[in-house]
Amino acid sequence: MSVLKLHAVLFDMDGLMLDTERIAQQAGMDACADHGYVMDRTLAMQLVGRNSRDTDQILAAHFGAGFDPLAVRERFKARYEAALFDGGLQTKPGLFELLDWLQRLNMPRAVATSTRHDMALRKLAHAGVQRYFEHVIGGDRVSRGKPEPDIFLAAAERLGVKPAHCVVLEDSEPGVQAALAAGMTPLMVPDLKAPSSALLAHGITVCNSLHAVMRHLSARCQLPL
């Protein structure tokens, strides 16, 4: 069994720590419907793990001429935030146990999320987890979103850790692809979508919960004393 020398853990946010993806999908479908467009589940799944710029491009390409990404995004924001901050924001099982364990180990931690920075801080604070992280990097702070590696490389640089010594926790395929492209070790905790056969061909580790993530890291990683 190979041992990974672990110097930092990088966390995705939505779908990994926060149980928000279903809320986002419904808000997205409703926002499109408000403007006369039909977003089905297939299209909605293409947006998981993407930043707002890439989401706008995907929707504009799908709906064609006349589609107004800014108007739909503003409507999405209103619906999404109303649902989230009116009691809808829940954390994933095992999150606080994992974060407390990593904190006891003095393991450096950062959030690397496709969500824009100000919204990410708001959600993390509302969920009571912002205090666990040294850095939070939003999707608007890098030029290219997931599946490109930029956001994870930026997080590793902020922490002063080599990419090869970083584990990335992700729920989405674009996020796992970004971690691989960054030369990091991804652990996937699927949320809305199971990993594809193409992704599994990379030999990634799939955990069914954050509790399983903690067990895996404890068993497979060289941890600080």
Side-chain angles (χ1 to χ4, degrees):
M1 179 183 295
S2 61
V3 175
L4 173 67
K5 192 172 184 180
L6 179 59
H7 289 177
V9 181
L10 310 183
F11 285 71
D12 178 46
M13 184 178 68
D14 294 291
L16 185 281
M17 291 193 289
L18 308 181
D19 194 6
T20 51
E21 291 289 10
R22 290 168 183 80
I23 297 173
Q25 283 203 347
Q26 189 61 55
M29 290 188 287
D30 290 343
C32 284
D34 290 342
H35 289 271
Y37 296 96
V38 177
M39 178 194 290
D40 60 18
R41 292 286 179 183
T42 300
L43 177 59
M45 291 304 296
Q46 294 180 38
L47 308 179
V48 175
R50 302 285 188 167
N51 64 24
S52 58
R53 294 187 301 271
D54 292 343
T55 294
D56 288 351
Q57 292 173 0
I58 292 168
L59 292 179
H62 180 84
F63 291 122
F67 181 76
D68 186 347
L70 180 59
V72 172
R73 192 185 336 138
E74 287 300 312
R75 188 60 182 154
F76 164 78
K77 178 182 176 182
R79 284 186 169 277
Y80 183 55
E81 293 186 10
L84 276 185
F85 299 117
D86 190 22
L89 183 55
Q90 303 294 325
T91 57
K92 289 284 192 170
L95 176 62
F96 287 100
E97 292 91 334
L98 173 60
L99 290 172
D100 285 335
W101 178 66
L102 292 172
Q103 185 167 273
R104 289 195 298 272
L105 293 172
N106 293 315
M107 179 66 63
R109 303 168 300 279
V111 176
T113 173
S114 295
T115 298
R116 70 181 190 276
H117 185 255
D118 61 338
M119 184 59 168
L121 292 178
R122 185 180 174 193
K123 288 199 281 188
L124 292 167
H126 192 77
V129 296
Q130 184 179 351
R131 62 190 174 87
Y132 287 96
F133 295 100
E134 299 174 53
H135 298 284
V136 176
I137 302 176
D140 56 334
R141 297 299 174 93
V142 294
S143 58
R144 300 183 301 171
K146 304 171 187 179
E148 301 299 332
D150 302 33
I151 196 165
F152 290 129
L153 293 175
E157 183 177 7
R158 292 274 190 92
L159 292 173
V161 176
K162 293 180 180 179
H165 295 159
C166 293
V167 161
V168 173
L169 306 184
E170 266 284 357
D171 70 290
S172 75
E173 190 151 328
V176 172
Q177 291 169 336
L180 291 170
M184 300 178 181
T185 300
L187 296 183
M188 187 178 191
V189 188
D191 182 32
L192 296 183
K193 185 179 179 182
S196 67
S197 56
L199 193 66
L200 292 174
H202 290 282
I204 66 165
T205 296
V206 179
C207 298
N208 62 10
S209 69
L210 294 177
H211 292 293
V213 166
M214 188 164 68
R215 291 193 296 269
H216 178 85
L217 292 178
S218 180
R220 295 291 301 274
C221 295
Q222 180 181 334
L223 299 169
L225 297 176

